[in-house]
Amino acid sequence: MPVNPIELALFASRLDAVCDEMGAVLRQAAFSPNIRDRLDFSCAIFDREGRLSAQAAHIPVHLGSMAHAMAEIVAAVDWADGDMLVLNDPFLGGTHLPDVTLIAPLFLDGRLIAFVANRAHHADIGAASPGSMPVSRRLEDEGLILAPTRLVRAGEIDAEVLDRILGATRNPEDARGDFLAQLSANRVGLSRLGVLVSELGESGYAAILGELNRYGERLARSALTAIPDGVYRFEDWMDDDGQGGVEILIRLSMQVSDGEVSLDFSGTAPQVEGNINCPLAVTAAAVLYVFRCLMPRQTPACAGSFGPIRLTVPQGCFLNAARPAAVAAGNVETSSRVVDVVMGALAQALPEAIPAASHGSMNNLAMGCADPKGAWDYYETIGGGMGAGAQGGGWSGVQTHMTNTLNTPVEVLESRFPLRVEHYGLRAGSGGLGARPGGDGLIRAFRFLAPTQVTLLTERRRFAPWGIAGGRSGSKGHNRLNGQSLASKVSLGVESGDLICVETPGGGGWGAPE
């Protein structure tokens, strides 16, 4: 059927609204600060074949990886009305084990129409290390592995499956609350999307969704046509893998031709011992994020918008790792570096449009206590400096690129956990100098009020965030325990009274400083 622009815009907005409402339900119903306060979750809609239809403006690394992996998940399952699937296996559609995904099919008159899905980060998914972000060597060290499994059958929760998941956690009642929040978010999504499909009819919904994808592809090709044709290359390095490997190379050759882009990561370092390895879906998420930023604001977040982008990542390199590779930090740290590499290549083609490197690390801090008498788990990411661009200096003390979470308020931390935040502020002077300076990083210091196990997974402690167009690099980050330097990736026990201080990197500067 013919679709006029107003109808198409209203349709796209209604899909987005479904995702937004799913996110609101998930946040309000969740128990953990990680979901309720930091907003470490994402919601999306897919068509019957698993192609992305819409997503909320949540976490780029969640949503891009879901978009890349959903088609294979959908094809492998015999779906039934009232089912809901749970998974976290990074090699079967997940990212890393703490990110747990729930997928629900929408049926109309017995026919499969679409899917709704949400992904949320659980601070405890059964790893021996509190916070479930260990300095690991194998996937099995990182917690409970969930291959795609029916959590709900014909509308009823499978108690055996849920109990198995909760039994791996230290606080099963809190975990239960978070999983029920995810279930509720999907149920709301099915209800709202079902109303839209019923109004349009199955064929009408499919027709307008097809037009949305064609519109997204037209906008994408128009934006990519603005990139001059050519081959652009860039390299950057991960600091280390936490297991003795250092200076781990990411190499990219990017070819642009007539509104299409092919990215080839041949020459990238092989799979490593530590946990900075990525499943391919995470690498794809980082690549898609960068190009999405070049597209007009009205570009719909659908499969058509990513059609002109091709990706080659050799199997067995650390950006396309194989089981049983450890991947806990790949989702957070390596994805950030992939963004830097793609932007570094694009900067050669679009020097006025691409900013300097941002802080390049989610500065992951996981902590807790495994003692059953007082078990607790907490995880957070800490912001840093944004890279400066031709249009302005970088922002200070913010999350950038592949994460989009908030910080947990100090009051929430101190009321729930045995610690005190002694310092939280900007790291003055850490942004790179330039005609437009990079943003400053953050300083966040924790005084522990009880013995605690702490894990740090951080980057840009060896290689500073690069400047651009003559701008200087931002300052490297530092981790300290009682004033003494710590490795970038470390797990250790601290005693009551100990102080851990995380100083995050600044962003790179743009243009030669005066």
Side-chain angles (χ1 to χ4, degrees), residues 216-445:
E217 183 168 352
R218 290 196 299 272
L219 288 178
R221 288 186 181 276
S222 176
L224 297 180
T225 300
I227 307 173
D229 288 356
V231 177
Y232 306 97
R233 296 180 173 86
F234 198 78
E235 297 179 348
D236 207 339
W237 290 262
M238 301 293 290
D239 290 347
D240 64 274
D241 70 347
Q243 301 294 342
V246 298
E247 301 183 10
I248 299 159
L249 174 66
I250 299 177
R251 175 175 288 155
L252 170 64
S253 176
M254 181 178 71
Q255 181 171 355
V256 182
S257 178
D258 194 27
E260 294 193 352
V261 181
S262 298
L263 300 101
D264 187 348
F265 286 90
S266 297
T268 292
Q271 189 168 313
V272 296
E273 286 292 319
N275 62 9
I276 63 169
N277 300 294
C278 286
L280 180 58
V282 169
T283 301
V287 171
L288 296 178
Y289 158 78
V290 175
F291 287 99
R292 179 66 181 84
C293 291
L294 294 177
M295 298 174 193
R297 291 178 63 89
Q298 71 271 24
T299 305
C302 61
S305 302
F306 302 128
I309 302 167
R310 305 284 184 267
L311 187 61
T312 300
V313 188
Q315 191 168 11
C317 79
F318 85 103
L319 299 185
N320 186 8
R323 192 184 301 274
V327 297
N331 184 58
V332 285
E333 298 303 280
T334 308
S335 68
S336 300
R337 191 67 70 258
V338 172
V339 169
D340 290 345
V341 170
V342 177
M343 293 181 70
L346 280 170
Q348 300 166 37
L350 300 171
E352 296 296 312
I354 303 300
S358 293
H359 56 102
S361 174
M362 296 192 197
N363 303 292
N364 305 270
L365 175 62
M367 60 180 106
C369 174
D371 186 341
K373 296 179 180 179
W376 60 278
D377 287 77
Y378 177 68
Y379 165 75
E380 71 173 23
T381 59
I382 305 174
M386 179 185 290
Q391 305 304 315
W395 292 353
S396 296
V398 292
Q399 302 281 7
T400 60
H401 298 318
M402 296 308 288
T403 186
N404 195 27
T405 57
L406 301 180
N407 61 188
T408 303
V410 172
E411 296 83 356
V412 172
L413 280 174
E414 295 186 342
S415 65
R416 289 192 56 129
F417 306 120
L419 53 83
R420 184 169 63 242
V421 179
E422 292 212 345
H423 186 100
Y424 187 31
L426 296 179
R427 187 184 172 203
S430 57
L433 296 177
R436 299 191 182 280
D440 287 334
L442 285 169
I443 301 174
R444 194 153 161 97

